[in-house]
Amino acid sequence: MSFRVTCTSCFLALASALLAEETKEVTMEFPLAGLKLVRVANDSGDVTLTGEEGATAVKVRADKLIFPDKAKLTMEIAGEELLLKAEAPSGLFGMGKKEIQVNFKVVMPPALAANVKAGNGDIQASRISGALTLDAGNGDITARETSGTLEVKSGNGDVELDQVKGNLTLATGNGNIKGNCRPAALSCKSGKGDISLEKLGACSTVTCATGMGDIRLLWDEAPGAGTADLKS
């Protein structure tokens, strides 16, 4: 009899552990009808956007690594937008916020636009042709194989590009801007950090500035008539 009780207790403990583990991961799919923008607002945690040709829905996975009581996770369609939001609850006596960490992974049609704001975490976007606005308060931002208008801002972190096209506006308060891109027009600014971009194609409209750091730009084609404003 004691053996059976022990086994039952172990089973219940294991089931509870598995249930707790399951609740840390939330996955959902959203229809595309009428959808124009994916909007992500994450107090703390990484955000990854991946474009997938032929996608018939937006697939979202939220990993709740640190999720205190009264934290709020929103995943819903509002009008023409898909809203993904992780909010930390207020701290003791309403002062500040409690620690939270939620990582979002989004697989979406490449042509959809996205607006991402992460308070504390890295942002990655790849294979997306829609317009992108990526804002990290404290974290690195990486864009790979994107071709739409790209606006990037990091308060404290690096900006890295790989095979990126379109009109590019890049800024970081404290970090480097690096990689390769073929922009139609390029504007980049670092408060403290180097700017190193190559394979700029024939881009002829360039504005780059850094408060403290070096600027290195390499073209792989002869640029047409235009303007280049560099400040270091």
Side-chain angles (χ1 to χ4, degrees):
M1 180 64 71
S2 60
F3 176 75
R4 291 182 179 176
V5 171
T6 301
C7 287
T8 302
S9 300
C10 291
F11 175 79
L12 292 175
L14 179 60
S16 297
L18 290 174
L19 181 59
E21 188 67 28
E22 288 175 357
T23 61
K24 291 182 180 180
E25 179 184 311
V26 180
T27 58
M28 295 185 70
E29 291 191 13
F30 297 89
L32 300 179
L35 196 61
K36 294 184 178 180
L37 177 71
V38 175
R39 184 180 299 277
V40 185
N42 195 6
D43 278 357
S44 184
D46 299 338
V47 179
T48 302
L49 306 177
T50 305
E52 182 180 85
E53 291 290 349
T56 57
V58 178
K59 300 176 183 178
V60 181
R61 170 176 161 177
D63 293 323
K64 300 188 289 184
L65 304 180
I66 302 175
F67 203 76
D69 290 341
K70 297 184 180 180
K72 187 176 180 181
L73 177 64
T74 302
M75 300 166 66
E76 64 182 15
I77 290 179
E80 298 178 336
E81 296 186 2
L82 169 57
L83 175 62
L84 308 174
K85 189 173 185 179
E87 299 175 85
S90 298
L92 191 63
F93 304 120
M95 299 178 63
K97 289 189 174 182
K98 293 183 179 179
E99 183 180 7
I100 188 174
Q101 185 176 357
V102 177
N103 292 344
F104 285 103
K105 294 182 179 179
V106 182
V107 179
M108 55 194 277
L112 266 183
N115 184 307
V116 178
K117 186 169 185 178
N120 185 38
D122 298 336
I123 302 173
Q124 296 185 32
S126 60
R127 300 193 296 275
I128 294 175
S129 57
L132 290 172
T133 300
L134 310 177
D135 186 338
N138 183 37
D140 299 333
I141 300 176
T142 303
R144 293 188 176 92
E145 299 178 55
T146 64
S147 55
T149 299
L150 175 64
E151 296 184 16
V152 168
K153 181 180 179 182
S154 176
N156 183 40
D158 294 337
V159 175
E160 184 172 359
L161 308 180
D162 182 22
Q163 301 180 62
V164 171
K165 301 177 182 179
N167 292 326
L168 311 181
T169 303
L170 318 170
T172 177
N174 182 34
N176 301 317
I177 299 174
K178 57 188 178 181
N180 66 85
C181 56
R182 301 180 75 82
L186 172 65
S187 173
C188 49
K189 182 178 181 180
S190 175
K192 183 180 181 181
D194 297 334
I195 298 174
S196 178
L197 296 171
E198 59 184 31
K199 298 182 180 179
L200 295 177
C203 181
S204 58
T205 304
V206 176
T207 302
C208 286
T210 176
M212 183 180 295
D214 298 328
I215 297 177
R216 176 179 174 270
L217 303 176
L218 295 178
W219 281 259
D220 55 346
E221 296 180 19
T227 59
D229 184 7
L230 310 179
K231 296 179 181 179
S232 177

